[in-house]
PDB file of all heavy atoms in Angstrom:
ATOM      1  N   LEU A 442      -4.902   7.041   7.906  1.00 96.00           N
ATOM      2  CA  LEU A 442      -5.805   6.201   8.667  1.00 96.00           C
ATOM      3  C   LEU A 442      -7.196   6.107   8.012  1.00 96.00           C
ATOM      4  O   LEU A 442      -7.823   5.126   8.009  1.00 96.00           O
ATOM      5  CB  LEU A 442      -5.854   6.630  10.111  1.00 96.00           C
ATOM      6  CG  LEU A 442      -4.616   6.428  10.995  1.00 96.00           C
ATOM      7  CD1 LEU A 442      -4.724   7.046  12.343  1.00 96.00           C
ATOM      8  CD2 LEU A 442      -4.305   4.935  11.102  1.00 96.00           C
ATOM      9  N   LEU A 443      -7.698   7.266   7.625  1.00 95.00           N
ATOM     10  CA  LEU A 443      -9.063   7.372   7.069  1.00 95.00           C
ATOM     11  C   LEU A 443      -9.182   6.701   5.683  1.00 95.00           C
ATOM     12  O   LEU A 443     -10.232   6.216   5.352  1.00 95.00           O
ATOM     13  CB  LEU A 443      -9.427   8.867   6.938  1.00 95.00           C
ATOM     14  CG  LEU A 443      -9.749   9.603   8.250  1.00 95.00           C
ATOM     15  CD1 LEU A 443      -9.908  11.013   8.062  1.00 95.00           C
ATOM     16  CD2 LEU A 443     -10.952   8.957   8.987  1.00 95.00           C
ATOM     17  N   VAL A 444      -8.065   6.592   4.969  1.00 94.00           N
ATOM     18  CA  VAL A 444      -8.115   5.921   3.659  1.00 94.00           C
ATOM     19  C   VAL A 444      -7.887   4.415   3.812  1.00 94.00           C
ATOM     20  O   VAL A 444      -7.897   3.717   2.764  1.00 94.00           O
ATOM     21  CB  VAL A 444      -7.166   6.512   2.608  1.00 94.00           C
ATOM     22  CG1 VAL A 444      -7.434   7.988   2.378  1.00 94.00           C
ATOM     23  CG2 VAL A 444      -5.722   6.255   3.043  1.00 94.00           C
ATOM     24  N   GLY A 445      -7.713   3.950   5.065  1.00 90.00           N
ATOM     25  CA  GLY A 445      -7.486   2.540   5.265  1.00 90.00           C
ATOM     26  C   GLY A 445      -8.656   1.653   4.766  1.00 90.00           C
ATOM     27  O   GLY A 445      -8.441   0.540   4.320  1.00 90.00           O
ATOM     28  N   GLY A 446      -9.824   2.201   4.804  1.00 89.00           N
ATOM     29  CA  GLY A 446     -11.026   1.431   4.228  1.00 89.00           C
ATOM     30  C   GLY A 446     -10.872   1.145   2.818  1.00 89.00           C
ATOM     31  O   GLY A 446     -11.095   0.027   2.359  1.00 89.00           O
ATOM     32  N   PHE A 447     -10.377   2.076   2.034  1.00 91.00           N
ATOM     33  CA  PHE A 447     -10.177   1.841   0.592  1.00 91.00           C
ATOM     34  C   PHE A 447      -9.061   0.877   0.331  1.00 91.00           C
ATOM     35  O   PHE A 447      -9.129   0.057  -0.605  1.00 91.00           O
ATOM     36  CB  PHE A 447      -9.993   3.211  -0.166  1.00 91.00           C
ATOM     37  CG  PHE A 447     -11.103   4.071  -0.163  1.00 91.00           C
ATOM     38  CD1 PHE A 447     -11.223   5.114   0.740  1.00 91.00           C
ATOM     39  CD2 PHE A 447     -12.175   3.922  -1.059  1.00 91.00           C
ATOM     40  CE1 PHE A 447     -12.299   5.965   0.770  1.00 91.00           C
ATOM     41  CE2 PHE A 447     -13.250   4.752  -1.096  1.00 91.00           C
ATOM     42  CZ  PHE A 447     -13.330   5.813  -0.166  1.00 91.00           C
ATOM     43  N   VAL A 448      -8.021   0.952   1.168  1.00 92.00           N
ATOM     44  CA  VAL A 448      -6.843   0.014   1.079  1.00 92.00           C
ATOM     45  C   VAL A 448      -7.356  -1.434   1.270  1.00 92.00           C
ATOM     46  O   VAL A 448      -6.884  -2.339   0.683  1.00 92.00           O
ATOM     47  CB  VAL A 448      -5.768   0.383   2.017  1.00 92.00           C
ATOM     48  CG1 VAL A 448      -4.693  -0.683   2.055  1.00 92.00           C
ATOM     49  CG2 VAL A 448      -5.129   1.770   1.663  1.00 92.00           C
ATOM     50  N   THR A 449      -8.286  -1.577   2.190  1.00 88.00           N
ATOM     51  CA  THR A 449      -8.873  -2.872   2.436  1.00 88.00           C
ATOM     52  C   THR A 449      -9.810  -3.384   1.343  1.00 88.00           C
ATOM     53  O   THR A 449      -9.800  -4.527   0.980  1.00 88.00           O
ATOM     54  CB  THR A 449      -9.609  -2.862   3.810  1.00 88.00           C
ATOM     55  OG1 THR A 449      -8.771  -2.573   4.855  1.00 88.00           O
ATOM     56  CG2 THR A 449     -10.265  -4.239   4.111  1.00 88.00           C
ATOM     57  N   VAL A 450     -10.666  -2.491   0.879  1.00 88.00           N
ATOM     58  CA  VAL A 450     -11.794  -2.803   0.029  1.00 88.00           C
ATOM     59  C   VAL A 450     -11.423  -2.935  -1.486  1.00 88.00           C
ATOM     60  O   VAL A 450     -11.831  -3.858  -2.182  1.00 88.00           O
ATOM     61  CB  VAL A 450     -12.975  -1.794   0.162  1.00 88.00           C
ATOM     62  CG1 VAL A 450     -14.056  -2.091  -0.823  1.00 88.00           C
ATOM     63  CG2 VAL A 450     -13.482  -1.938   1.590  1.00 88.00           C
ATOM     64  N   LEU A 451     -10.563  -2.064  -1.984  1.00 90.00           N
ATOM     65  CA  LEU A 451     -10.297  -1.996  -3.411  1.00 90.00           C
ATOM     66  C   LEU A 451      -9.759  -3.338  -3.950  1.00 90.00           C
ATOM     67  O   LEU A 451     -10.258  -3.837  -4.986  1.00 90.00           O
ATOM     68  CB  LEU A 451      -9.334  -0.872  -3.745  1.00 90.00           C
ATOM     69  CG  LEU A 451      -9.937   0.562  -3.631  1.00 90.00           C
ATOM     70  CD1 LEU A 451      -8.893   1.603  -3.935  1.00 90.00           C
ATOM     71  CD2 LEU A 451     -11.116   0.723  -4.601  1.00 90.00           C
ATOM     72  N   PRO A 452      -8.727  -3.923  -3.319  1.00 91.00           N
ATOM     73  CA  PRO A 452      -8.229  -5.215  -3.859  1.00 91.00           C
ATOM     74  C   PRO A 452      -9.274  -6.304  -3.753  1.00 91.00           C
ATOM     75  O   PRO A 452      -9.275  -7.235  -4.611  1.00 91.00           O
ATOM     76  CB  PRO A 452      -7.027  -5.514  -2.980  1.00 91.00           C
ATOM     77  CG  PRO A 452      -7.171  -4.757  -1.753  1.00 91.00           C
ATOM     78  CD  PRO A 452      -7.872  -3.474  -2.180  1.00 91.00           C
ATOM     79  N   LEU A 453     -10.141  -6.200  -2.727  1.00 84.00           N
ATOM     80  CA  LEU A 453     -11.170  -7.237  -2.625  1.00 84.00           C
ATOM     81  C   LEU A 453     -12.111  -7.188  -3.807  1.00 84.00           C
ATOM     82  O   LEU A 453     -12.623  -8.249  -4.291  1.00 84.00           O
ATOM     83  CB  LEU A 453     -12.014  -7.015  -1.293  1.00 84.00           C
ATOM     84  CG  LEU A 453     -13.212  -7.851  -1.086  1.00 84.00           C
ATOM     85  CD1 LEU A 453     -12.829  -9.313  -0.865  1.00 84.00           C
ATOM     86  CD2 LEU A 453     -14.059  -7.355   0.049  1.00 84.00           C
ATOM     87  N   ILE A 454     -12.479  -5.979  -4.201  1.00 86.00           N
ATOM     88  CA  ILE A 454     -13.368  -5.829  -5.363  1.00 86.00           C
ATOM     89  C   ILE A 454     -12.749  -6.389  -6.630  1.00 86.00           C
ATOM     90  O   ILE A 454     -13.386  -7.160  -7.402  1.00 86.00           O
ATOM     91  CB  ILE A 454     -13.740  -4.343  -5.613  1.00 86.00           C
ATOM     92  CG1 ILE A 454     -14.475  -3.796  -4.398  1.00 86.00           C
ATOM     93  CG2 ILE A 454     -14.502  -4.185  -6.856  1.00 86.00           C
ATOM     94  CD1 ILE A 454     -14.701  -2.274  -4.483  1.00 86.00           C
ATOM     95  N   ALA A 455     -11.488  -6.098  -6.843  1.00 88.00           N
ATOM     96  CA  ALA A 455     -10.769  -6.624  -8.055  1.00 88.00           C
ATOM     97  C   ALA A 455     -10.636  -8.191  -7.942  1.00 88.00           C
ATOM     98  O   ALA A 455     -10.840  -8.861  -8.933  1.00 88.00           O
ATOM     99  CB  ALA A 455      -9.342  -6.021  -8.116  1.00 88.00           C
ATOM    100  N   PHE A 456     -10.359  -8.671  -6.775  1.00 86.00           N
ATOM    101  CA  PHE A 456     -10.253 -10.091  -6.569  1.00 86.00           C
ATOM    102  C   PHE A 456     -11.602 -10.827  -6.809  1.00 86.00           C
ATOM    103  O   PHE A 456     -11.593 -11.858  -7.580  1.00 86.00           O
ATOM    104  CB  PHE A 456      -9.818 -10.409  -5.122  1.00 86.00           C
ATOM    105  CG  PHE A 456      -9.807 -11.894  -4.765  1.00 86.00           C
ATOM    106  CD1 PHE A 456      -8.727 -12.713  -5.176  1.00 86.00           C
ATOM    107  CD2 PHE A 456     -10.902 -12.503  -4.162  1.00 86.00           C
ATOM    108  CE1 PHE A 456      -8.739 -14.057  -4.831  1.00 86.00           C
ATOM    109  CE2 PHE A 456     -10.852 -13.835  -3.828  1.00 86.00           C
ATOM    110  CZ  PHE A 456      -9.856 -14.623  -4.182  1.00 86.00           C
ATOM    111  N   ALA A 457     -12.703 -10.287  -6.276  1.00 81.00           N
ATOM    112  CA  ALA A 457     -13.959 -10.857  -6.486  1.00 81.00           C
ATOM    113  C   ALA A 457     -14.350 -10.905  -7.981  1.00 81.00           C
ATOM    114  O   ALA A 457     -14.906 -11.855  -8.453  1.00 81.00           O
ATOM    115  CB  ALA A 457     -15.060 -10.201  -5.650  1.00 81.00           C
ATOM    116  N   ALA A 458     -14.037  -9.797  -8.639  1.00 84.00           N
ATOM    117  CA  ALA A 458     -14.377  -9.708 -10.099  1.00 84.00           C
ATOM    118  C   ALA A 458     -13.534 -10.706 -10.917  1.00 84.00           C
ATOM    119  O   ALA A 458     -14.058 -11.408 -11.795  1.00 84.00           O
ATOM    120  CB  ALA A 458     -14.083  -8.294 -10.611  1.00 84.00           C
ATOM    121  N   GLY A 459     -12.272 -10.859 -10.578  1.00 84.00           N
ATOM    122  CA  GLY A 459     -11.441 -11.783 -11.241  1.00 84.00           C
ATOM    123  C   GLY A 459     -11.822 -13.276 -11.025  1.00 84.00           C
ATOM    124  O   GLY A 459     -11.841 -14.127 -11.921  1.00 84.00           O
ATOM    125  N   ALA A 460     -12.251 -13.554  -9.712  1.00 80.00           N
ATOM    126  CA  ALA A 460     -12.627 -14.917  -9.350  1.00 80.00           C
ATOM    127  C   ALA A 460     -13.843 -15.360 -10.131  1.00 80.00           C
ATOM    128  O   ALA A 460     -14.037 -16.597 -10.377  1.00 80.00           O
ATOM    129  CB  ALA A 460     -12.854 -14.995  -7.823  1.00 80.00           C
ATOM    130  N   ARG A 461     -14.717 -14.423 -10.472  1.00 79.00           N
ATOM    131  CA  ARG A 461     -15.910 -14.819 -11.182  1.00 79.00           C
ATOM    132  C   ARG A 461     -15.609 -15.233 -12.643  1.00 79.00           C
ATOM    133  O   ARG A 461     -16.421 -15.944 -13.245  1.00 79.00           O
ATOM    134  CB  ARG A 461     -16.936 -13.607 -11.184  1.00 79.00           C
ATOM    135  CG  ARG A 461     -17.700 -13.449  -9.883  1.00 79.00           C
ATOM    136  CD  ARG A 461     -18.855 -12.524 -10.091  1.00 79.00           C
ATOM    137  NE  ARG A 461     -18.473 -11.140 -10.432  1.00 79.00           N
ATOM    138  CZ  ARG A 461     -18.269 -10.154  -9.583  1.00 79.00           C
ATOM    139  NH1 ARG A 461     -18.442 -10.423  -8.260  1.00 79.00           N
ATOM    140  NH2 ARG A 461     -17.913  -9.029  -9.951  1.00 79.00           N
ATOM    141  N   ARG A 462     -14.493 -14.748 -13.185  1.00 82.00           N
ATOM    142  CA  ARG A 462     -14.144 -15.082 -14.570  1.00 82.00           C
ATOM    143  C   ARG A 462     -13.191 -16.201 -14.694  1.00 82.00           C
ATOM    144  O   ARG A 462     -13.077 -16.735 -15.839  1.00 82.00           O
ATOM    145  CB  ARG A 462     -13.567 -13.771 -15.203  1.00 82.00           C
ATOM    146  CG  ARG A 462     -14.514 -12.574 -15.323  1.00 82.00           C
ATOM    147  CD  ARG A 462     -13.717 -11.377 -15.832  1.00 82.00           C
ATOM    148  NE  ARG A 462     -14.601 -10.216 -15.961  1.00 82.00           N
ATOM    149  CZ  ARG A 462     -15.345  -9.866 -17.038  1.00 82.00           C
ATOM    150  NH1 ARG A 462     -15.222 -10.720 -18.098  1.00 82.00           N
ATOM    151  NH2 ARG A 462     -16.046  -8.803 -17.029  1.00 82.00           N
ATOM    152  N   LEU A 463     -12.527 -16.624 -13.638  1.00 79.00           N
ATOM    153  CA  LEU A 463     -11.407 -17.541 -13.725  1.00 79.00           C
ATOM    154  C   LEU A 463     -11.736 -18.832 -12.980  1.00 79.00           C
ATOM    155  O   LEU A 463     -12.526 -18.838 -12.049  1.00 79.00           O
ATOM    156  CB  LEU A 463     -10.105 -16.942 -13.233  1.00 79.00           C
ATOM    157  CG  LEU A 463      -9.602 -15.768 -13.953  1.00 79.00           C
ATOM    158  CD1 LEU A 463      -8.398 -15.106 -13.265  1.00 79.00           C
ATOM    159  CD2 LEU A 463      -9.223 -16.031 -15.413  1.00 79.00           C
ATOM    160  N   ARG A 464     -11.089 -19.898 -13.426  1.00 75.00           N
ATOM    161  CA  ARG A 464     -11.181 -21.159 -12.689  1.00 75.00           C
ATOM    162  C   ARG A 464     -10.374 -21.036 -11.377  1.00 75.00           C
ATOM    163  O   ARG A 464      -9.421 -20.282 -11.245  1.00 75.00           O
ATOM    164  CB  ARG A 464     -10.612 -22.351 -13.582  1.00 75.00           C
ATOM    165  CG  ARG A 464     -11.438 -22.660 -14.813  1.00 75.00           C
ATOM    166  CD  ARG A 464     -10.800 -23.856 -15.472  1.00 75.00           C
ATOM    167  NE  ARG A 464     -11.665 -24.292 -16.629  1.00 75.00           N
ATOM    168  CZ  ARG A 464     -11.543 -23.891 -17.816  1.00 75.00           C
ATOM    169  NH1 ARG A 464     -10.674 -22.977 -18.149  1.00 75.00           N
ATOM    170  NH2 ARG A 464     -12.335 -24.395 -18.774  1.00 75.00           N
ATOM    171  N   LEU A 465     -10.780 -21.940 -10.405  1.00 66.00           N
ATOM    172  CA  LEU A 465     -10.039 -21.945  -9.187  1.00 66.00           C
ATOM    173  C   LEU A 465      -8.589 -22.311  -9.301  1.00 66.00           C
ATOM    174  O   LEU A 465      -7.768 -21.786  -8.574  1.00 66.00           O
ATOM    175  CB  LEU A 465     -10.756 -22.919  -8.156  1.00 66.00           C
ATOM    176  CG  LEU A 465     -12.118 -22.508  -7.602  1.00 66.00           C
ATOM    177  CD1 LEU A 465     -12.692 -23.585  -6.743  1.00 66.00           C
ATOM    178  CD2 LEU A 465     -11.956 -21.200  -6.780  1.00 66.00           C
ATOM    179  N   ALA A 466      -8.316 -23.217 -10.282  1.00 66.00           N
ATOM    180  CA  ALA A 466      -6.884 -23.588 -10.472  1.00 66.00           C
ATOM    181  C   ALA A 466      -6.022 -22.371 -10.944  1.00 66.00           C
ATOM    182  O   ALA A 466      -4.933 -22.226 -10.499  1.00 66.00           O
ATOM    183  CB  ALA A 466      -6.831 -24.727 -11.497  1.00 66.00           C
ATOM    184  N   THR A 467      -6.603 -21.557 -11.757  1.00 75.00           N
ATOM    185  CA  THR A 467      -5.934 -20.357 -12.273  1.00 75.00           C
ATOM    186  C   THR A 467      -5.704 -19.420 -11.108  1.00 75.00           C
ATOM    187  O   THR A 467      -4.611 -18.810 -10.951  1.00 75.00           O
ATOM    188  CB  THR A 467      -6.741 -19.638 -13.385  1.00 75.00           C
ATOM    189  OG1 THR A 467      -7.032 -20.588 -14.393  1.00 75.00           O
ATOM    190  CG2 THR A 467      -5.940 -18.475 -13.938  1.00 75.00           C
ATOM    191  N   MET A 468      -6.714 -19.168 -10.295  1.00 78.00           N
ATOM    192  CA  MET A 468      -6.596 -18.302  -9.102  1.00 78.00           C
ATOM    193  C   MET A 468      -5.549 -18.864  -8.155  1.00 78.00           C
ATOM    194  O   MET A 468      -4.763 -18.127  -7.523  1.00 78.00           O
ATOM    195  CB  MET A 468      -7.932 -18.154  -8.411  1.00 78.00           C
ATOM    196  CG  MET A 468      -9.003 -17.436  -9.227  1.00 78.00           C
ATOM    197  SD  MET A 468      -8.557 -15.699  -9.645  1.00 78.00           S
ATOM    198  CE  MET A 468      -8.730 -14.951  -7.985  1.00 78.00           C
TER     199      MET A 468
END
Side-chain angles (χ1 to χ4, degrees):
L442 289 173
L443 289 172
V444 301
F447 293 98
V448 173
T449 298
V450 173
L451 289 178
L453 173 69
I454 297 172
F456 174 81
R461 283 195 296 267
R462 295 175 180 270
L463 299 173
R464 291 182 174 90
L465 285 176
T467 305
M468 294 296 290

